Amino acid sequence: MCGIVGYIGKREAYPIILNGLKRLEYRGYDSAGIALYDGSGIQLCKTQGKVSDLEQKVSSHINTTGSLGIGHTRWATHGVPNDINSHPHYSNSGNLVIIHNGIIENYASIKKELLKRGYTFQSDTDTEVLVNLIEEVKKQEDVKLGKAVQIALNQVVGAYAIAVFDKNKPDEIVVAKLGSPLAIGIGEDEFFVASDATPFIEFTNNAIYLEDEEMAIIRLGREVRVRKLKNDKLVDPYIQELKLNLEQIEKGGYDHFMLKEIYEQPSVIKDTYRGRLLAKKGIVKLGGLEDHIQKFVNANRIIIVACGTSWHAGLVAEYIFEDWARVPVEVEYASEFRYRNPIITEKDVVIAISQSGETADTLAAIKLAKQKGAFVYGVCNVVGSTISRETHSGTYTHAGPEIGVASTKAFTTQITVLTMIALRLAKEKGTISQSNYMKHLHELELIPDHVGEALKSDEKIQAIAKVFKDAANFLYLGRGYNFPVALEGALKLKEISYIHAEGYPAAEMKHGPIALIDEQMPVVVIAVNSNHYEKVVSNIEEIKARKGKIIAVVTEGDTTVKELADYIMEVPKTVESLSPLVTTIPLQLLSYHIAVMLGKNVDQPRNLAKSVTVE
Ligand code: AGP
């Protein structure tokens, strides 16, 4: 997820764009850049680092006059964060310059064709390919920029919000959108373009939000012209009058980043498997895995090292890998693994999971595993992070920046990647039947919709939160694939509401914890359709017999548990091995609402940091 800003109008573009980028940094902050039309040519400056680093560099590198410009703050998906991969990107001729938020899935094949036609590339990005495709179309079809953008975008697969201008036509900016947000601010003799309204809300509260597969030619002195990319039909755009304030817009209208990120899960899970999961064709293709698949096939075992929520994702992966790829898996707290002199051999594959890619204990565990000859594979969210560079290979989640300290979308996108790895490995080893393999690919593709359905119970969950917000303790119980989800649900509650909570395998109750049960003890039980369902129902009955209060996560339509539980939170049906991706949703919402009702600082809970870079 990146931030894009553009301006054309009566004012100096530079200060508007720079300030706009600062307001969009929550969307991505690993590199930034700006391109301005100075009256005769393009002044472009870009740098790895934050917008403040760009500001420093601009002051000594370019002339900042001009009333047309575009700017970008990056969250890398293709190409590590460095100066060259930062946006904006020039076309080969230097006439066009583009900024882009999204992922062009078929950029490699387009790049190959453009290379044959003599194009050269400075960066590793999909965006530089796109601007040169537009240039090639413009040349070959002898059309204006707007038409060239339209023809080019009908050849790409993926997600984009782009802004592009031609130095030979400095009275217009062309924008287009599919899958990534793009707002057009309508001012007096001036127009703004941005990922959301924060960069222009002080100048105008009139905005057009482009719909998917729409483009707009923004030209001074006339109305914005919006067209459908597919059939070129003119669209009569709806100009919204914005009522939101700056802070609300940064959070997408949500009260907290955590809630925004909980609601982003349907789209970021889709982003994470976009271009990698081709369910109908029965294909999983992970760039970082293909060259090393035999290491996984021949591995004696897989050791997963991580911390916190990422460790819980690893526990889910243990069930998936052992179930489908039939390879022994051990899941280790990185902080323990690194000090206990573990037995590691060249026949081991280590998977390191980390949202930030900077967790000190996980990094240390990786170094130890490499010293002992293991092949180390990373699953990170931050491109170019230390862990992603320290591992031999890896797969990035495409969750975008996770600002809330409590991990939510990181957890579900990590499980999405780990599931794809396990299914790809099972297919390679022949340990999964073709029908099961295809069924799981199909179900994985449906998960974003299922997560969206689970989110619709928000209000009901809020009412449950109100009943239990003053409890002193909680128990979270789950079996099988949902035992790790019980642990994760307990962690969510602990870290943002400061209520003590413990996650347990449901069957373990009888080995001690059941002594805790009384009418003061809320027990969250994950009781979705599974091989253990009847056993979990028995556990619920045991708790009820001791007056425990039951909050059950059930498969929608469940009638048995509904009779037993005090409260239920329904989730859509899916295959058991993918159920953690939906059962975690109500638990995230429950902890969020309890914390808000208790007046806690949800996005920055006490004593915590987003990334634990110290031991
Ligand atoms: C989870 O909500 C916490 N934010 C924390 O447990 C986190 O998952 C852990 O510190 C690991 O961080 P990482 O994924 O960035 O390595």
Side-chain angles (χ1 to χ4, degrees):
M1 182 163 82
C2 305
I4 66 171
V5 186
Y7 177 80
I8 185 166
K10 60 193 177 189
R11 298 176 221 254
E12 284 296 295
Y14 174 62
I16 292 171
I17 293 172
L18 187 75
N19 197 34
L21 289 176
K22 286 177 180 170
R23 290 185 179 159
L24 291 179
E25 265 196 313
Y26 73 89
R27 299 179 57 85
Y29 37 70
D30 58 42
S31 53
I34 191 166
L36 301 163
Y37 177 72
D38 66 2
S40 60
I42 294 173
Q43 299 281 330
L44 188 146
C45 182
K46 56 187 186 176
T47 183
Q48 182 176 350
K50 293 194 173 300
V51 176
S52 53
D53 299 311
L54 174 67
E55 193 171 10
Q56 284 292 320
K57 191 169 180 180
V58 162
S59 58
S60 54
H61 278 70
I62 62 168
N63 153 20
T64 58
T65 57
S67 57
L68 163 64
I70 54 178
H72 185 273
T73 180
R74 188 171 183 236
W75 177 267
T77 53
H78 292 79
V80 294
N82 59 23
D83 293 5
I84 291 286
N85 288 332
S86 314
H87 303 207
H89 287 282
Y90 277 118
S91 62
N92 269 200
S93 69
N95 293 331
L96 308 185
V97 65
I98 193 171
I99 51 175
H100 165 225
N101 171 24
I103 300 168
I104 305 297
E105 295 170 29
N106 60 335
Y107 82 100
S109 55
I110 296 170
K111 183 169 185 174
K112 211 164 142 198
E113 183 54 33
L114 290 171
L115 284 164
K116 278 186 210 158
R117 298 182 185 200
Y119 283 82
T120 57
F121 295 88
Q122 318 306 317
S123 77
D124 309 322
T125 66
D126 51 348
T127 306
E128 192 184 10
V129 172
L130 179 56
V131 71
N132 281 303
L133 175 63
I134 294 167
E135 175 143 285
E136 176 63 2
V137 167
K138 193 167 182 291
K139 248 189 315 196
Q140 293 305 323
E141 309 290 332
D142 188 21
V143 292
K144 289 184 182 161
L145 179 61
K147 193 66 186 164
V149 166
Q150 184 178 26
I151 295 169
L153 289 179
N154 280 312
Q155 295 175 33
V156 307
V157 177
Y160 48 79
I162 62 166
V164 52
F165 72 81
D166 178 349
K167 73 175 184 182
N168 299 316
K169 187 104 180 55
D171 66 343
E172 73 176 26
I173 297 180
V174 177
V175 298
K177 175 232 191 286
L178 172 59
S180 301
L182 195 139
I184 302 170
I186 316 283
E188 288 294 320
D189 305 323
E190 60 186 356
F191 296 100
F192 307 80
V193 172
S195 300
D196 63 36
T198 47
F200 59 76
I201 192 74
E202 68 200 83
F203 301 107
T204 177
N205 55 10
N206 296 320
I208 294 169
Y209 284 83
L210 282 191
E211 300 290 337
D212 276 349
E213 294 189 316
E214 285 186 347
M215 65 172 288
I217 297 174
I218 302 168
R219 190 173 298 158
L220 277 182
R222 71 172 209 193
E223 297 295 301
V224 173
R225 292 222 175 126
V226 178
R227 291 178 179 281
K228 286 289 180 201
L229 279 168
K230 288 276 185 237
N231 58 23
D232 198 28
K233 273 210 176 64
L234 266 176
V235 172
D236 181 12
Y238 169 57
I239 300 180
Q240 284 192 45
E241 194 182 340
L242 301 173
K243 300 268 187 281
L244 292 171
N245 64 37
L246 201 53
E247 194 200 348
Q248 285 171 320
I249 297 169
E250 265 186 350
K251 291 170 185 160
Y254 294 99
D255 291 342
H256 299 95
F257 279 111
M258 181 181 175
L259 189 61
K260 175 171 174 273
E261 287 150 11
I262 289 172
Y263 272 82
E264 279 178 342
Q265 290 178 109
S267 63
V268 296
I269 289 171
K270 199 173 280 184
D271 285 346
T272 295
Y273 70 50
R274 190 189 298 278
R276 296 165 161 173
L277 170 67
L278 308 172
K280 291 177 187 58
K281 293 181 182 170
I283 294 172
V284 171
K285 56 176 182 165
L286 298 166
L289 180 64
E290 286 317 306
D291 297 345
H292 306 287
I293 190 75
Q294 290 312 316
K295 289 195 184 66
F296 280 79
V297 168
N298 301 323
N300 278 347
R301 63 181 170 164
I302 290 177
I303 302 169
I304 296 176
V305 293
C307 300
T309 289
S310 299
W311 185 79
H312 295 151
L315 279 181
V316 174
E318 177 178 19
Y319 286 85
I320 299 173
F321 274 96
E322 294 206 349
D323 233 349
W324 300 114
R326 305 306 297 155
V327 56
V329 175
E330 289 169 27
V331 186
E332 300 266 359
Y333 281 116
S335 54
E336 286 299 308
F337 181 77
R338 61 177 293 196
Y339 290 118
R340 66 172 181 73
N341 193 19
I343 298 166
I344 308 168
T345 74
E346 289 81 357
K347 294 288 281 179
D348 290 327
V349 166
V350 172
I351 298 178
I353 307 170
S354 176
Q355 185 288 127
S356 62
E358 303 299 341
T359 299
D361 284 322
T362 308
L363 185 58
I366 291 165
K367 289 179 175 169
L368 174 66
K370 285 171 70 179
Q371 276 160 17
K372 297 200 174 206
F375 174 76
V376 185
Y377 196 85
V379 176
C380 291
N381 192 37
V382 179
V383 174
S385 56
T386 308
I387 285 177
S388 68
R389 283 181 284 113
E390 196 60 38
T391 50
H392 292 115
S393 186
T395 297
Y396 285 117
T397 53
H398 288 159
E402 188 175 66
I403 310 295
V405 164
S407 257
T408 50
K409 61 180 183 173
F411 180 63
T412 47
T413 52
Q414 285 165 352
I415 294 173
T416 302
V417 166
L418 292 159
T419 301
M420 288 193 284
I421 295 171
L423 288 169
R424 173 72 185 84
L425 179 56
K427 177 78 177 153
E428 187 73 18
K429 292 177 67 177
T431 51
I432 187 171
S433 69
Q434 181 63 11
S435 59
N436 241 338
Y437 175 70
M438 294 300 282
K439 179 179 164 192
H440 277 78
L441 296 192
H442 173 68
E443 276 295 327
L444 184 55
E445 204 171 42
L446 295 176
I447 286 296
D449 294 342
H450 291 336
V451 170
E453 278 305 306
L455 288 167
K456 289 177 182 169
S457 303
D458 196 352
E459 255 180 67
K460 277 191 210 161
I461 295 165
Q462 204 169 346
I464 296 170
K466 199 166 178 187
V467 172
F468 294 102
K469 65 181 174 60
D470 298 318
N473 299 283
F474 269 75
L475 263 180
Y476 283 72
L477 305 179
R479 280 180 181 253
Y481 284 90
N482 283 295
F483 159 50
V485 180
L487 297 178
E488 172 60 12
L491 175 62
K492 287 286 92 58
L493 186 69
K494 274 184 277 199
E495 64 177 327
I496 61 173
S497 71
Y498 318 150
I499 294 173
H500 176 253
E502 264 193 280
Y504 250 93
E508 272 298 295
M509 283 301 292
K510 296 186 290 299
H511 302 279
I514 202 160
L516 292 170
I517 302 298
D518 59 23
E519 58 274 12
Q520 304 306 317
M521 176 64 83
V523 185
V524 178
V525 187
I526 304 166
V528 292
N529 294 357
S530 73
N531 297 333
H532 313 290
Y533 181 75
E534 286 68 31
K535 297 277 190 296
V536 176
V537 170
S538 312
N539 297 143
I540 290 174
E541 284 164 339
E542 288 153 12
I543 295 162
K544 277 201 77 62
R546 290 152 181 90
K547 301 190 177 52
K549 290 281 176 281
I550 303 282
I551 307 166
V553 180
V554 298
T555 303
E556 54 196 26
D558 180 297
T559 49
T560 308
V561 174
K562 198 171 183 175
E563 291 307 308
L564 292 168
D566 298 275
Y567 300 88
I568 61 162
M569 302 185 287
E570 293 187 292
V571 295
K573 182 172 172 41
T574 184
V575 292
E576 184 169 354
S577 53
L578 300 182
S579 62
L581 287 163
V582 290
T583 55
T584 196
I585 303 302
L587 306 189
Q588 293 170 347
L589 291 170
L590 181 66
S591 57
Y592 170 79
H593 288 304
I594 288 176
V596 169
M597 290 171 188
L598 294 176
K600 304 304 181 191
N601 182 341
V602 171
D603 284 332
Q604 287 151 356
R606 69 185 182 192
N607 311 339
L608 290 175
K610 185 57 192 170
S611 176
V612 182
T613 54
V614 294
E615 297 173 8

